[in-house]
Coordinates of all heavy atoms in Angstrom, one line a residue:
Chain A
F983 N 10.0 9.0 -27.2 CA 10.7 8.0 -27.9 C 11.4 8.6 -29.1 O 10.7 9.0 -30.1 CB 9.8 6.8 -28.4 CG 9.2 6.0 -27.3 CD1 7.9 6.2 -26.9 CD2 10.0 5.1 -26.6 CE1 7.3 5.4 -25.9 CE2 9.5 4.4 -25.5 CZ 8.1 4.5 -25.2
V988 N 5.5 11.2 -26.3 CA 4.3 10.4 -26.1 C 3.6 10.9 -24.8 O 2.4 10.8 -24.8 CB 4.8 8.9 -25.9 CG1 3.6 8.1 -25.6 CG2 5.4 8.4 -27.2
P1007 N -8.5 7.3 -25.3 CA -8.6 6.5 -26.5 C -7.3 5.8 -26.8 O -6.2 6.1 -26.2 CB -8.9 7.6 -27.6 CG -8.4 8.8 -27.0 CD -8.5 8.7 -25.5
S1008 N -7.3 4.8 -27.6 CA -6.2 4.0 -28.0 C -5.1 4.9 -28.5 O -5.3 5.8 -29.3 CB -6.6 3.0 -29.0 OG -5.5 2.3 -29.4
G1009 N -3.8 4.7 -28.1 CA -2.7 5.5 -28.6 C -2.4 6.8 -27.9 O -1.5 7.5 -28.2
C1010 N -3.2 7.0 -26.8 CA -2.9 8.3 -26.1 C -1.8 8.2 -25.1 O -1.5 9.2 -24.4 CB -4.2 8.7 -25.4 SG -4.7 7.7 -24.0
G1011 N -1.2 7.0 -24.9 CA -0.1 7.0 -24.0 C -0.3 6.3 -22.7 O 0.5 6.3 -21.8
K1012 N -1.4 5.5 -22.5 CA -1.8 4.9 -21.3 C -0.8 3.8 -20.9 O -0.2 3.8 -19.8 CB -3.2 4.3 -21.3 CG -4.3 5.2 -21.7 CD -5.6 4.5 -21.7 CE -5.7 3.4 -22.7 NZ -5.8 3.9 -24.2
T1013 N -0.5 2.9 -21.9 CA 0.4 1.8 -21.6 C 1.8 2.4 -21.3 O 2.5 1.9 -20.4 CB 0.5 0.9 -22.8 OG1 -0.8 0.3 -23.0 CG2 1.5 -0.2 -22.6
T1014 N 2.2 3.4 -22.0 CA 3.5 4.0 -21.7 C 3.6 4.5 -20.3 O 4.6 4.3 -19.6 CB 3.8 5.2 -22.7 OG1 3.6 4.7 -24.0 CG2 5.2 5.7 -22.6
L1015 N 2.5 5.2 -19.8 CA 2.5 5.7 -18.5 C 2.6 4.5 -17.5 O 3.4 4.6 -16.5 CB 1.1 6.4 -18.2 CG 1.0 7.2 -17.0 CD1 2.1 8.3 -17.0 CD2 -0.4 7.8 -16.8
E1023 N 10.3 1.5 -18.5 CA 10.8 2.6 -19.3 C 11.3 3.7 -18.4 O 10.9 3.8 -17.3 CB 9.7 3.2 -20.2 CG 8.9 2.3 -21.1 CD 9.6 1.9 -22.3 OE1 10.7 2.4 -22.6 OE2 9.1 1.0 -23.1
E1133 N -5.6 -2.7 -19.2 CA -6.8 -3.2 -19.9 C -7.0 -4.7 -19.7 O -7.0 -5.5 -20.6 CB -6.6 -3.0 -21.4 CG -6.1 -1.5 -21.7 CD -6.7 -1.0 -23.0 OE1 -7.6 -1.6 -23.6 OE2 -6.2 0.1 -23.4
Ligands
LIG796 N1 8.8 1.8 -27.6 C1 8.2 2.7 -28.3 N2 8.9 3.4 -29.3 C2 8.3 4.4 -30.0 N3 7.0 4.7 -29.9 C3 6.3 4.1 -29.0 C4 6.9 3.1 -28.1 N4 5.9 2.7 -27.3 C5 4.8 3.4 -27.6 N5 5.0 4.3 -28.6 C6 4.1 5.2 -29.1 O1 3.5 5.9 -28.1 C7 2.1 6.2 -28.3 C8 1.3 5.8 -27.1 O2 1.3 4.3 -27.1 P1 0.6 3.5 -25.9 O3 1.2 4.0 -24.6 O4 0.8 2.1 -26.1 O5 -0.9 4.0 -26.0 P2 -2.2 3.3 -25.4 O6 -1.8 2.3 -24.4 O7 -2.9 4.4 -24.8 O8 -3.0 2.7 -26.5 C9 1.8 5.5 -29.6 O9 1.7 6.5 -30.6 C10 2.9 4.5 -29.8 O10 3.1 4.4 -31.2

Side-chain angles (χ1 to χ4, degrees):
Chain A
F983 292 107
V988 175
S1008 174
C1010 71
K1012 305 179 298 289
T1013 298
T1014 307
L1015 190 62
E1023 308 279 358
E1133 312 214 12

